[in-house]
Amino acid sequence: MDIKQLNYYYNKFKFGEDNFHNLMKSKVREVLLISTFYDAFIFEQDGRFSEQIFGEYRQLNLSTAPRITSVPTGEEALNKLSEKKYDLVITMMRIGEISPFELSKKVKEKYSNIPILLLLNVESDIVLINQNREKMKFIDDVFLWKGDSKLFLAMIKYVEDKRNLEYDTKHGLVRVILLIEDSVRYYSRFLPLLYEEILKQTQRLISEELNDINKRLRMRVRPKVILVHNYDEAEEILNNYREYIISIISDVKYIRKGEIDSQAGIKLLNKIKNEKFDIPVLLQSSDLENKLKAEKLNVAFLHKNSTTLLKDLRKFILNNLGFGDFIIRNQDGEEISRATSLLEFEKMLPNLSIDSLLYHGKKNHFSAWLIAHGEIQVAKKIKPIKNEDFSTSKAMRRYLIAIFKQVRLQKNRGKVTDFSEKNIDSNGQIVKLSEGSLGGKGRGLAFLNALFVAMELEKQFSHVDIAIPSTAIIGTNEFDLFVENNDIYRFIEHKTDQEINDYFLKCKLTDGLMKKLKIFLQYNKKPLAIRSSGLLEDSQSQPFAGIYKTYMLPNNHPNELEKLNQTAETIKLVYASVFLSNARNYLENINYEIEEEKMAVILQEVVGIQQEKMYYPHISGVAQSYNYYPTANLENKDGIAMIALGLGKTVVEGEKRFVFCPHYPKTEIISTNE
């Protein structure tokens, strides 16, 4: 394989991360707020404006919380805009001698790309807005603040979502919730609630993820909320982003073709139904007569004058968009149980009643929940499938079990995942039992694992199972704690190797690691190789082969506690090998201080087969990318490999092994020990 191929596969593996890294490129980082000193004080003291903004961003592990600059007058705002770049301008109605309408015109003339939002804090000002529609053309939108500081976060997210809509949907398959509402009063209430539930769902999904890459991905692929105020804008969004829309929340009465249409929402939903666009829809109106029309269209209805308006909206979101837990119901819609994660739901599926399976399948709840969990492609695959497509309900159950298992395994393949009981029995993963560096061997294994996944070797060699054996790595942080807690450096001076080993065996690993090892051993029953993975190991400049210890552990003691203790003792002996005379002398000879070395430990399943009471490892070998002694038509760059049955000791110590060139595997090469 040449460098171009390697680069292709590396980029293929990284592409997902880089692709999602490019989402939400247009962020609101600098906000200019124009308000009286009194209003600014109220926002901070009563509304907790800054606290709310920073709190929400902290929860999502985001470091780009916007900075708010407040000025009391329009004149000062123009001065500020001339001094630095702002991403958003929020202006109140009363801002000194210059009106917000005049200010917005002046701002747009100089800085046409800056969005300007008008924030009202008196409901009667809505009338004033309606009377100045012509002057409003330089203001991008209007919101009404009634004391809930979440409105500010919603306004910022609203601007970001509009800016990033086209790129993020096309490149990241980001989903969209379309809100059609022309009442300032109502969309100023709806928008904060929608974003609140979306951010809760995002935070929930982030907490479920087992590696940092997937956590960062979750931050950027949350559904967008796109707010429009009339039929034509809604139709444009539907035409351009139809495949990304997961729900529509629509008013009934709003402008259509330049005029107020009392049935605009009904006409839009009829159009959607005629086009067989099957997504959750909520029709909302202050006229209860429209409830019957919603029922005829088979969509949910929200009464705007209800005393539980926001509660009803939240219920629609949770029940129809897959947010929150998966609530398992019977045919009557009564709750039976609930699953909080994909793994939990996967475990429930085999025992789910036929009635529940059919109920949720009919309503597309499975695909909605997968979409809410960011599993877009799989959700799109199962959404068109109906109950009647399966010959039996058992066939439907088997299909769903396979789909959810596939989702869980695929999203972590090739990645180093944090320890969790839910992922340690999965193939194609490396589990990290503690934080810190993976060490030399660990880094190599992680890279190889990622490369295997990117190359899709299972498709190229369908008759051979090529994968990294079940692997867990104890990061170097545990080594640091072990050394510190047990005062290692003070003890080791002038001690023999035997004394060092004896002392290390008496020392303790952390309680946290012991708990994880106990769970790991419950899932891994085969013999284990407990391998060293020092920071300096596998260095290209300094060879460390044979310097540190690797131990083979049968992992078959009938007493679980004793098996755990044997594993812990073996780990401690690997730690001790850093301080043994052979390792210390070698480090001194290559001009390294012993304090520079830190040890990670790899626990790896020995691949082999059980024959009666004996376990036989399959095969071991060493491959070199450069062949120093090519023969026949072989070249240096073709490389060389040496393999043997059993353990690698046979190969490393020059015993009988098979030698071949990976580029020309059928060319016979005479081994040096023949």
Side-chain angles (χ1 to χ4, degrees), residues 215-229:
K215 287 178 180 179
R216 291 195 297 271
L217 182 154
R218 290 297 180 203
M219 297 174 200
R220 293 177 170 86
V221 298
R222 64 160 180 81
K224 297 186 181 302
V225 180
I226 299 301
L227 169 66
V228 297
H229 303 309

PDB file of all heavy atoms in Angstrom, residues 215-229:
ATOM      1  N   LYS A 215     -18.889  13.175  21.130  1.00  0.00           N
ATOM      2  CA  LYS A 215     -19.442  14.247  21.955  1.00  0.00           C
ATOM      3  C   LYS A 215     -19.430  15.569  21.204  1.00  0.00           C
ATOM      4  O   LYS A 215     -20.395  16.333  21.241  1.00  0.00           O
ATOM      5  CB  LYS A 215     -18.660  14.364  23.264  1.00  0.00           C
ATOM      6  CG  LYS A 215     -18.950  13.222  24.234  1.00  0.00           C
ATOM      7  CD  LYS A 215     -18.131  13.334  25.500  1.00  0.00           C
ATOM      8  CE  LYS A 215     -18.451  12.163  26.433  1.00  0.00           C
ATOM      9  NZ  LYS A 215     -17.657  12.202  27.670  1.00  0.00           N
ATOM     10  N   ARG A 216     -18.315  15.843  20.518  1.00  0.00           N
ATOM     11  CA  ARG A 216     -18.241  17.081  19.737  1.00  0.00           C
ATOM     12  C   ARG A 216     -19.240  17.067  18.593  1.00  0.00           C
ATOM     13  O   ARG A 216     -19.837  18.093  18.260  1.00  0.00           O
ATOM     14  CB  ARG A 216     -16.808  17.277  19.203  1.00  0.00           C
ATOM     15  CG  ARG A 216     -15.797  17.592  20.288  1.00  0.00           C
ATOM     16  CD  ARG A 216     -14.513  18.121  19.681  1.00  0.00           C
ATOM     17  NE  ARG A 216     -13.856  17.146  18.841  1.00  0.00           N
ATOM     18  CZ  ARG A 216     -12.965  16.259  19.279  1.00  0.00           C
ATOM     19  NH1 ARG A 216     -12.651  16.215  20.562  1.00  0.00           N
ATOM     20  NH2 ARG A 216     -12.385  15.420  18.443  1.00  0.00           N
ATOM     21  N   LEU A 217     -19.409  15.884  18.002  1.00  0.00           N
ATOM     22  CA  LEU A 217     -20.375  15.753  16.918  1.00  0.00           C
ATOM     23  C   LEU A 217     -21.778  16.105  17.398  1.00  0.00           C
ATOM     24  O   LEU A 217     -22.520  16.827  16.731  1.00  0.00           O
ATOM     25  CB  LEU A 217     -20.327  14.312  16.400  1.00  0.00           C
ATOM     26  CG  LEU A 217     -21.210  13.893  15.233  1.00  0.00           C
ATOM     27  CD1 LEU A 217     -20.560  12.715  14.522  1.00  0.00           C
ATOM     28  CD2 LEU A 217     -22.598  13.479  15.693  1.00  0.00           C
ATOM     29  N   ARG A 218     -22.146  15.593  18.565  1.00  0.00           N
ATOM     30  CA  ARG A 218     -23.495  15.818  19.094  1.00  0.00           C
ATOM     31  C   ARG A 218     -23.780  17.304  19.300  1.00  0.00           C
ATOM     32  O   ARG A 218     -24.912  17.758  19.146  1.00  0.00           O
ATOM     33  CB  ARG A 218     -23.659  15.099  20.435  1.00  0.00           C
ATOM     34  CG  ARG A 218     -23.693  13.592  20.325  1.00  0.00           C
ATOM     35  CD  ARG A 218     -24.861  13.122  19.519  1.00  0.00           C
ATOM     36  NE  ARG A 218     -24.882  11.675  19.427  1.00  0.00           N
ATOM     37  CZ  ARG A 218     -25.486  11.002  18.469  1.00  0.00           C
ATOM     38  NH1 ARG A 218     -26.111  11.656  17.515  1.00  0.00           N
ATOM     39  NH2 ARG A 218     -25.460   9.699  18.438  1.00  0.00           N
ATOM     40  N   MET A 219     -22.765  18.061  19.680  1.00  0.00           N
ATOM     41  CA  MET A 219     -22.968  19.493  19.906  1.00  0.00           C
ATOM     42  C   MET A 219     -23.402  20.200  18.626  1.00  0.00           C
ATOM     43  O   MET A 219     -24.142  21.177  18.671  1.00  0.00           O
ATOM     44  CB  MET A 219     -21.664  20.133  20.400  1.00  0.00           C
ATOM     45  CG  MET A 219     -21.177  19.614  21.732  1.00  0.00           C
ATOM     46  SD  MET A 219     -19.552  20.330  22.075  1.00  0.00           S
ATOM     47  CE  MET A 219     -18.927  19.182  23.302  1.00  0.00           C
ATOM     48  N   ARG A 220     -22.900  19.698  17.505  1.00  0.00           N
ATOM     49  CA  ARG A 220     -23.098  20.431  16.253  1.00  0.00           C
ATOM     50  C   ARG A 220     -24.268  19.922  15.419  1.00  0.00           C
ATOM     51  O   ARG A 220     -24.675  20.587  14.479  1.00  0.00           O
ATOM     52  CB  ARG A 220     -21.812  20.375  15.424  1.00  0.00           C
ATOM     53  CG  ARG A 220     -20.664  21.137  16.076  1.00  0.00           C
ATOM     54  CD  ARG A 220     -19.379  21.012  15.284  1.00  0.00           C
ATOM     55  NE  ARG A 220     -18.368  21.933  15.784  1.00  0.00           N
ATOM     56  CZ  ARG A 220     -17.550  21.666  16.777  1.00  0.00           C
ATOM     57  NH1 ARG A 220     -17.617  20.508  17.398  1.00  0.00           N
ATOM     58  NH2 ARG A 220     -16.658  22.559  17.184  1.00  0.00           N
ATOM     59  N   VAL A 221     -24.771  18.737  15.714  1.00  0.00           N
ATOM     60  CA  VAL A 221     -25.839  18.192  14.870  1.00  0.00           C
ATOM     61  C   VAL A 221     -27.208  18.271  15.534  1.00  0.00           C
ATOM     62  O   VAL A 221     -28.127  17.588  15.119  1.00  0.00           O
ATOM     63  CB  VAL A 221     -25.534  16.733  14.446  1.00  0.00           C
ATOM     64  CG1 VAL A 221     -24.274  16.662  13.636  1.00  0.00           C
ATOM     65  CG2 VAL A 221     -25.450  15.811  15.666  1.00  0.00           C
ATOM     66  N   ARG A 222     -27.351  19.106  16.546  1.00  0.00           N
ATOM     67  CA  ARG A 222     -28.682  19.278  17.134  1.00  0.00           C
ATOM     68  C   ARG A 222     -29.634  19.810  16.075  1.00  0.00           C
ATOM     69  O   ARG A 222     -29.233  20.525  15.150  1.00  0.00           O
ATOM     70  CB  ARG A 222     -28.616  20.252  18.314  1.00  0.00           C
ATOM     71  CG  ARG A 222     -28.213  21.666  17.900  1.00  0.00           C
ATOM     72  CD  ARG A 222     -28.615  22.701  18.918  1.00  0.00           C
ATOM     73  NE  ARG A 222     -28.211  24.042  18.501  1.00  0.00           N
ATOM     74  CZ  ARG A 222     -28.879  24.789  17.633  1.00  0.00           C
ATOM     75  NH1 ARG A 222     -29.991  24.319  17.091  1.00  0.00           N
ATOM     76  NH2 ARG A 222     -28.456  25.993  17.293  1.00  0.00           N
ATOM     77  N   PRO A 223     -30.934  19.482  16.167  1.00  0.00           N
ATOM     78  CA  PRO A 223     -31.901  20.013  15.194  1.00  0.00           C
ATOM     79  C   PRO A 223     -31.938  21.539  15.223  1.00  0.00           C
ATOM     80  O   PRO A 223     -31.768  22.158  16.271  1.00  0.00           O
ATOM     81  CB  PRO A 223     -33.233  19.429  15.669  1.00  0.00           C
ATOM     82  CG  PRO A 223     -32.873  18.241  16.483  1.00  0.00           C
ATOM     83  CD  PRO A 223     -31.563  18.559  17.125  1.00  0.00           C
ATOM     84  N   LYS A 224     -32.161  22.130  14.072  1.00  0.00           N
ATOM     85  CA  LYS A 224     -32.305  23.581  13.972  1.00  0.00           C
ATOM     86  C   LYS A 224     -33.787  23.943  14.031  1.00  0.00           C
ATOM     87  O   LYS A 224     -34.639  23.171  13.594  1.00  0.00           O
ATOM     88  CB  LYS A 224     -31.710  24.086  12.656  1.00  0.00           C
ATOM     89  CG  LYS A 224     -30.222  23.843  12.537  1.00  0.00           C
ATOM     90  CD  LYS A 224     -29.662  24.493  11.289  1.00  0.00           C
ATOM     91  CE  LYS A 224     -28.177  24.222  11.166  1.00  0.00           C
ATOM     92  NZ  LYS A 224     -27.395  24.683  12.309  1.00  0.00           N
ATOM     93  N   VAL A 225     -34.057  25.120  14.574  1.00  0.00           N
ATOM     94  CA  VAL A 225     -35.424  25.648  14.559  1.00  0.00           C
ATOM     95  C   VAL A 225     -35.441  26.819  13.587  1.00  0.00           C
ATOM     96  O   VAL A 225     -34.714  27.796  13.768  1.00  0.00           O
ATOM     97  CB  VAL A 225     -35.872  26.120  15.955  1.00  0.00           C
ATOM     98  CG1 VAL A 225     -37.303  26.658  15.895  1.00  0.00           C
ATOM     99  CG2 VAL A 225     -35.769  24.979  16.964  1.00  0.00           C
ATOM    100  N   ILE A 226     -36.248  26.700  12.562  1.00  0.00           N
ATOM    101  CA  ILE A 226     -36.359  27.766  11.567  1.00  0.00           C
ATOM    102  C   ILE A 226     -37.744  28.412  11.715  1.00  0.00           C
ATOM    103  O   ILE A 226     -38.769  27.759  11.512  1.00  0.00           O
ATOM    104  CB  ILE A 226     -36.158  27.231  10.138  1.00  0.00           C
ATOM    105  CG1 ILE A 226     -34.762  26.613  10.006  1.00  0.00           C
ATOM    106  CG2 ILE A 226     -36.350  28.343   9.111  1.00  0.00           C
ATOM    107  CD1 ILE A 226     -33.615  27.567  10.291  1.00  0.00           C
ATOM    108  N   LEU A 227     -37.720  29.681  12.083  1.00  0.00           N
ATOM    109  CA  LEU A 227     -38.956  30.453  12.295  1.00  0.00           C
ATOM    110  C   LEU A 227     -39.264  31.269  11.045  1.00  0.00           C
ATOM    111  O   LEU A 227     -38.425  32.028  10.569  1.00  0.00           O
ATOM    112  CB  LEU A 227     -38.778  31.383  13.498  1.00  0.00           C
ATOM    113  CG  LEU A 227     -39.851  32.449  13.715  1.00  0.00           C
ATOM    114  CD1 LEU A 227     -41.192  31.809  14.061  1.00  0.00           C
ATOM    115  CD2 LEU A 227     -39.414  33.432  14.810  1.00  0.00           C
ATOM    116  N   VAL A 228     -40.488  31.099  10.515  1.00  0.00           N
ATOM    117  CA  VAL A 228     -40.964  31.925   9.401  1.00  0.00           C
ATOM    118  C   VAL A 228     -42.336  32.478   9.784  1.00  0.00           C
ATOM    119  O   VAL A 228     -43.012  31.946  10.675  1.00  0.00           O
ATOM    120  CB  VAL A 228     -41.048  31.128   8.081  1.00  0.00           C
ATOM    121  CG1 VAL A 228     -39.668  30.639   7.659  1.00  0.00           C
ATOM    122  CG2 VAL A 228     -42.003  29.951   8.206  1.00  0.00           C
ATOM    123  N   HIS A 229     -42.747  33.536   9.067  1.00  0.00           N
ATOM    124  CA  HIS A 229     -43.958  34.250   9.471  1.00  0.00           C
ATOM    125  C   HIS A 229     -45.090  34.209   8.453  1.00  0.00           C
ATOM    126  O   HIS A 229     -46.168  34.742   8.724  1.00  0.00           O
ATOM    127  CB  HIS A 229     -43.616  35.713   9.771  1.00  0.00           C
ATOM    128  CG  HIS A 229     -42.569  35.877  10.816  1.00  0.00           C
ATOM    129  ND1 HIS A 229     -42.627  35.259  12.044  1.00  0.00           N
ATOM    130  CD2 HIS A 229     -41.400  36.595  10.819  1.00  0.00           C
ATOM    131  CE1 HIS A 229     -41.566  35.597  12.762  1.00  0.00           C
ATOM    132  NE2 HIS A 229     -40.805  36.395  12.041  1.00  0.00           N
TER     133      HIS A 229
END
